Tab-separated table of all heavy atoms in Angstrom:
chain	number	residue	atom	x	y	z
A	1	GLY	N	-41.514	106.108	-49.037
A	1	GLY	CA	-41.045	104.832	-49.559
A	1	GLY	C	-40.625	103.790	-48.544
A	1	GLY	O	-40.237	102.693	-48.920
A	2	VAL	N	-40.691	104.089	-47.250
A	2	VAL	CA	-40.246	103.128	-46.241
A	2	VAL	C	-41.446	102.285	-45.792
A	2	VAL	O	-42.102	102.581	-44.791
A	2	VAL	CB	-39.556	103.835	-45.047
A	2	VAL	CG1	-39.010	102.810	-44.063
A	2	VAL	CG2	-38.439	104.748	-45.542
A	3	PHE	N	-41.741	101.255	-46.581
A	3	PHE	CA	-42.855	100.348	-46.291
A	3	PHE	C	-42.678	99.069	-47.109
A	3	PHE	O	-41.925	99.034	-48.076
A	3	PHE	CB	-44.206	100.999	-46.617
A	3	PHE	CG	-44.411	101.270	-48.082
A	3	PHE	CD1	-45.023	100.333	-48.900
A	3	PHE	CD2	-43.980	102.464	-48.647
A	3	PHE	CE1	-45.207	100.582	-50.258
A	3	PHE	CE2	-44.154	102.720	-49.997
A	3	PHE	CZ	-44.766	101.772	-50.805
A	4	GLY	N	-43.388	98.015	-46.687
A	4	GLY	CA	-43.344	96.754	-47.424
A	4	GLY	C	-44.285	95.728	-46.813
A	4	GLY	O	-44.894	95.955	-45.766
A	5	ALA	N	-44.391	94.594	-47.459
A	5	ALA	CA	-45.286	93.519	-47.016
A	5	ALA	C	-44.681	92.754	-45.837
A	5	ALA	O	-43.469	92.584	-45.749
A	5	ALA	CB	-45.549	92.556	-48.164
A	6	PHE	N	-45.558	92.285	-44.958
A	6	PHE	CA	-45.162	91.445	-43.822
A	6	PHE	C	-46.211	90.337	-43.712
A	6	PHE	O	-47.331	90.573	-43.271
A	6	PHE	CB	-45.085	92.288	-42.553
A	6	PHE	CG	-44.734	91.526	-41.309
A	6	PHE	CD1	-43.836	90.472	-41.329
A	6	PHE	CD2	-45.291	91.876	-40.100
A	6	PHE	CE1	-43.502	89.784	-40.176
A	6	PHE	CE2	-44.975	91.198	-38.928
A	6	PHE	CZ	-44.082	90.150	-38.969
A	7	VAL	N	-45.854	89.147	-44.162
A	7	VAL	CA	-46.788	88.022	-44.216
A	7	VAL	C	-46.353	86.963	-43.214
A	7	VAL	O	-45.204	86.525	-43.222
A	7	VAL	CB	-46.846	87.412	-45.637
A	7	VAL	CG1	-47.799	86.225	-45.678
A	7	VAL	CG2	-47.235	88.468	-46.656
A	8	VAL	N	-47.288	86.570	-42.355
A	8	VAL	CA	-47.057	85.489	-41.395
A	8	VAL	C	-47.996	84.350	-41.777
A	8	VAL	O	-49.209	84.439	-41.606
A	8	VAL	CB	-47.310	85.949	-39.939
A	8	VAL	CG1	-47.064	84.797	-38.966
A	8	VAL	CG2	-46.450	87.153	-39.593
A	9	ARG	N	-47.429	83.292	-42.328
A	9	ARG	CA	-48.226	82.150	-42.783
A	9	ARG	C	-48.516	81.215	-41.611
A	9	ARG	O	-47.663	80.996	-40.763
A	9	ARG	CB	-47.488	81.395	-43.882
A	9	ARG	CG	-47.284	82.227	-45.119
A	9	ARG	CD	-46.607	81.419	-46.217
A	9	ARG	NE	-46.457	82.206	-47.411
A	9	ARG	CZ	-47.408	82.398	-48.328
A	9	ARG	NH1	-48.588	81.834	-48.169
A	9	ARG	NH2	-47.184	83.137	-49.385
A	10	GLN	N	-49.709	80.656	-41.619
A	10	GLN	CA	-50.079	79.689	-40.590
A	10	GLN	C	-49.363	78.372	-40.836
A	10	GLN	O	-49.179	77.952	-41.985
A	10	GLN	CB	-51.585	79.457	-40.579
A	10	GLN	CG	-52.354	80.646	-40.051
A	10	GLN	CD	-53.828	80.362	-39.977
A	10	GLN	OE1	-54.433	80.012	-40.971
A	10	GLN	NE2	-54.396	80.527	-38.799
A	11	THR	N	-48.966	77.729	-39.755
A	11	THR	CA	-48.262	76.453	-39.886
A	11	THR	C	-49.175	75.379	-40.457
A	11	THR	O	-48.722	74.502	-41.176
A	11	THR	CB	-47.703	76.001	-38.531
A	11	THR	OG1	-48.748	76.027	-37.563
A	11	THR	CG2	-46.581	76.925	-38.086
A	12	GLN	N	-50.453	75.448	-40.133
A	12	GLN	CA	-51.427	74.509	-40.691
A	12	GLN	C	-52.558	75.327	-41.303
A	12	GLN	O	-53.455	75.777	-40.601
A	12	GLN	CB	-51.955	73.564	-39.620
A	12	GLN	CG	-50.881	72.642	-39.075
A	12	GLN	CD	-51.423	71.709	-38.006
A	12	GLN	OE1	-52.436	71.983	-37.379
A	12	GLN	NE2	-50.739	70.600	-37.807
A	13	ASP	N	-52.508	75.528	-42.617
A	13	ASP	CA	-53.503	76.316	-43.323
A	13	ASP	C	-54.668	75.412	-43.713
A	13	ASP	O	-54.552	74.573	-44.603
A	13	ASP	CB	-52.876	76.959	-44.561
A	13	ASP	CG	-53.803	77.948	-45.247
A	13	ASP	OD1	-55.015	77.984	-44.914
A	13	ASP	OD2	-53.310	78.695	-46.103
A	14	LEU	N	-55.780	75.585	-43.038
A	14	LEU	CA	-56.950	74.746	-43.278
A	14	LEU	C	-57.560	74.959	-44.663
A	14	LEU	O	-58.309	74.123	-45.150
A	14	LEU	CB	-58.007	75.007	-42.203
A	14	LEU	CG	-57.572	74.740	-40.760
A	14	LEU	CD1	-58.677	75.127	-39.791
A	14	LEU	CD2	-57.187	73.286	-40.584
A	15	TYR	N	-57.226	76.074	-45.307
A	15	TYR	CA	-57.814	76.405	-46.602
A	15	TYR	C	-56.854	76.183	-47.766
A	15	TYR	O	-57.151	76.545	-48.894
A	15	TYR	CB	-58.298	77.856	-46.600
A	15	TYR	CG	-59.332	78.107	-45.532
A	15	TYR	CD1	-58.985	78.752	-44.350
A	15	TYR	CD2	-60.641	77.677	-45.690
A	15	TYR	CE1	-59.927	78.970	-43.360
A	15	TYR	CE2	-61.584	77.887	-44.702
A	15	TYR	CZ	-61.216	78.531	-43.542
A	15	TYR	OH	-62.149	78.730	-42.563
A	16	LEU	N	-55.721	75.573	-47.523
A	16	LEU	CA	-54.697	75.404	-48.558
A	16	LEU	C	-55.235	74.706	-49.804
A	16	LEU	O	-54.884	75.068	-50.929
A	16	LEU	CB	-53.498	74.639	-47.993
A	16	LEU	CG	-52.276	74.557	-48.893
A	16	LEU	CD1	-51.750	75.949	-49.221
A	16	LEU	CD2	-51.181	73.742	-48.230
A	17	ASP	N	-56.110	73.753	-49.628
A	17	ASP	CA	-56.661	73.017	-50.775
A	17	ASP	C	-57.595	73.863	-51.641
A	17	ASP	O	-57.913	73.483	-52.768
A	17	ASP	CB	-57.414	71.770	-50.302
A	17	ASP	CG	-56.486	70.752	-49.658
A	17	ASP	OD1	-55.273	70.780	-49.964
A	17	ASP	OD2	-56.969	69.931	-48.861
A	18	THR	N	-58.036	74.997	-51.143
A	18	THR	CA	-58.955	75.845	-51.913
A	18	THR	C	-58.223	76.834	-52.814
A	18	THR	O	-58.850	77.494	-53.628
A	18	THR	CB	-59.894	76.625	-50.972
A	18	THR	OG1	-59.110	77.522	-50.174
A	18	THR	CG2	-60.684	75.680	-50.085
A	19	TYR	N	-56.900	76.961	-52.692
A	19	TYR	CA	-56.128	77.897	-53.506
A	19	TYR	C	-55.717	77.225	-54.813
A	19	TYR	O	-55.304	76.073	-54.821
A	19	TYR	CB	-54.844	78.340	-52.804
A	19	TYR	CG	-55.012	78.912	-51.418
A	19	TYR	CD1	-54.053	78.683	-50.447
A	19	TYR	CD2	-56.098	79.697	-51.073
A	19	TYR	CE1	-54.171	79.210	-49.171
A	19	TYR	CE2	-56.230	80.230	-49.804
A	19	TYR	CZ	-55.267	79.983	-48.861
A	19	TYR	OH	-55.389	80.501	-47.612
A	20	ASP	N	-55.807	77.954	-55.909
A	20	ASP	CA	-55.236	77.472	-57.167
A	20	ASP	C	-53.717	77.553	-57.089
A	20	ASP	O	-53.015	76.620	-57.431
A	20	ASP	CB	-55.728	78.303	-58.346
A	20	ASP	CG	-57.208	78.086	-58.638
A	20	ASP	OD1	-57.708	76.981	-58.326
A	20	ASP	OD2	-57.842	79.007	-59.151
A	21	VAL	N	-53.234	78.702	-56.639
A	21	VAL	CA	-51.799	78.936	-56.498
A	21	VAL	C	-51.587	79.716	-55.209
A	21	VAL	O	-52.282	80.704	-54.953
A	21	VAL	CB	-51.233	79.748	-57.690
A	21	VAL	CG1	-49.773	80.059	-57.483
A	21	VAL	CG2	-51.450	79.016	-58.997
A	22	ASP	N	-50.654	79.284	-54.397
A	22	ASP	CA	-50.280	80.019	-53.187
A	22	ASP	C	-48.798	80.330	-53.307
A	22	ASP	O	-47.954	79.499	-53.003
A	22	ASP	CB	-50.574	79.185	-51.942
A	22	ASP	CG	-50.262	79.945	-50.659
A	22	ASP	OD1	-50.193	81.190	-50.711
A	22	ASP	OD2	-50.078	79.304	-49.615
A	23	SER	N	-48.493	81.524	-53.791
A	23	SER	CA	-47.112	81.886	-54.072
A	23	SER	C	-46.721	83.163	-53.344
A	23	SER	O	-47.493	84.135	-53.342
A	23	SER	CB	-46.924	82.086	-55.580
A	23	SER	OG	-45.658	82.624	-55.855
A	24	PRO	N	-45.526	83.197	-52.765
A	24	PRO	CA	-45.039	84.435	-52.136
A	24	PRO	C	-44.929	85.588	-53.132
A	24	PRO	O	-44.924	86.743	-52.741
A	24	PRO	CB	-43.662	84.055	-51.606
A	24	PRO	CG	-43.671	82.573	-51.519
A	24	PRO	CD	-44.602	82.093	-52.574
A	25	ASP	N	-44.879	85.283	-54.432
A	25	ASP	CA	-44.802	86.330	-55.450
A	25	ASP	C	-46.131	87.038	-55.671
A	25	ASP	O	-46.192	88.036	-56.394
A	25	ASP	CB	-44.328	85.742	-56.785
A	25	ASP	CG	-42.912	85.209	-56.710
A	25	ASP	OD1	-42.121	85.729	-55.896
A	25	ASP	OD2	-42.594	84.272	-57.455
A	26	HIS	N	-47.201	86.560	-55.068
A	26	HIS	CA	-48.521	87.110	-55.304
A	26	HIS	C	-49.002	88.019	-54.175
A	26	HIS	O	-50.191	88.091	-53.910
A	26	HIS	CB	-49.533	85.986	-55.520
A	26	HIS	CG	-49.285	85.212	-56.768
A	26	HIS	ND1	-49.911	84.025	-57.047
A	26	HIS	CD2	-48.467	85.434	-57.823
A	26	HIS	CE1	-49.493	83.564	-58.199
A	26	HIS	NE2	-48.614	84.402	-58.689
A	27	VAL	N	-48.094	88.708	-53.536
A	27	VAL	CA	-48.463	89.658	-52.489
A	27	VAL	C	-48.492	91.045	-53.108
A	27	VAL	O	-47.550	91.471	-53.775
A	27	VAL	CB	-47.457	89.620	-51.315
A	27	VAL	CG1	-47.794	90.691	-50.288
A	27	VAL	CG2	-47.475	88.247	-50.666
A	28	LEU	N	-49.574	91.756	-52.898
A	28	LEU	CA	-49.763	93.082	-53.463
A	28	LEU	C	-49.724	94.105	-52.337
A	28	LEU	O	-50.427	93.961	-51.339
A	28	LEU	CB	-51.109	93.139	-54.192
A	28	LEU	CG	-51.484	94.423	-54.885
A	28	LEU	CD1	-50.513	94.710	-56.035
A	28	LEU	CD2	-52.902	94.328	-55.419
A	29	VAL	N	-48.909	95.140	-52.502
A	29	VAL	CA	-48.814	96.224	-51.522
A	29	VAL	C	-49.286	97.502	-52.201
A	29	VAL	O	-48.758	97.878	-53.249
A	29	VAL	CB	-47.360	96.405	-51.015
A	29	VAL	CG1	-47.289	97.551	-50.029
A	29	VAL	CG2	-46.858	95.125	-50.381
A	30	LEU	N	-50.271	98.163	-51.619
A	30	LEU	CA	-50.796	99.419	-52.164
A	30	LEU	C	-50.338	100.568	-51.271
A	30	LEU	O	-50.330	100.444	-50.046
A	30	LEU	CB	-52.316	99.392	-52.223
A	30	LEU	CG	-52.946	98.310	-53.095
A	30	LEU	CD1	-54.462	98.367	-52.996
A	30	LEU	CD2	-52.494	98.420	-54.531
A	31	GLN	N	-50.002	101.675	-51.912
A	31	GLN	CA	-49.536	102.839	-51.161
A	31	GLN	C	-49.815	104.084	-51.993
A	31	GLN	O	-49.658	104.065	-53.216
A	31	GLN	CB	-48.028	102.716	-50.890
A	31	GLN	CG	-47.365	103.926	-50.306
A	31	GLN	CD	-47.704	104.153	-48.838
A	31	GLN	OE1	-48.452	103.404	-48.228
A	31	GLN	NE2	-47.164	105.192	-48.267
A	32	ASP	N	-50.214	105.150	-51.343
A	32	ASP	CA	-50.323	106.430	-52.047
A	32	ASP	C	-48.928	106.846	-52.479
A	32	ASP	O	-47.961	106.715	-51.717
A	32	ASP	CB	-50.902	107.509	-51.129
A	32	ASP	CG	-52.356	107.270	-50.797
A	32	ASP	OD1	-53.057	106.682	-51.648
A	32	ASP	OD2	-52.785	107.656	-49.708
A	33	TRP	N	-48.791	107.354	-53.686
A	33	TRP	CA	-47.488	107.785	-54.179
A	33	TRP	C	-47.664	109.126	-54.878
A	33	TRP	O	-48.426	109.251	-55.836
A	33	TRP	CB	-46.894	106.739	-55.135
A	33	TRP	CG	-45.508	107.059	-55.529
A	33	TRP	CD1	-45.071	107.434	-56.768
A	33	TRP	CD2	-44.359	107.050	-54.680
A	33	TRP	NE1	-43.714	107.643	-56.737
A	33	TRP	CE2	-43.249	107.435	-55.473
A	33	TRP	CE3	-44.145	106.774	-53.331
A	33	TRP	CZ2	-41.969	107.524	-54.958
A	33	TRP	CZ3	-42.879	106.865	-52.828
A	33	TRP	CH2	-41.794	107.232	-53.631
């Protein structure tokens, strides 16, 4: 259970306009359990 997401966002995201929604709540972490 000692794991989690680590997201480093770019200061200038060239693709930002292509996202419908860019939310920190939309990070998915997969792990064998």
Side-chain angles (χ1 to χ4, degrees):
V2 184
F3 66 91
F6 178 36
V7 179
V8 180
R9 296 183 178 278
Q10 289 183 303
T11 52
Q12 294 180 338
D13 188 348
L14 301 176
Y15 301 102
L16 188 60
D17 294 336
T18 64
Y19 306 145
D20 291 332
V21 176
D22 183 20
S23 171
D25 295 331
H26 294 168
V27 175
L28 182 65
V29 179
L30 299 177
Q31 171 73 0
D32 291 330
W33 187 248

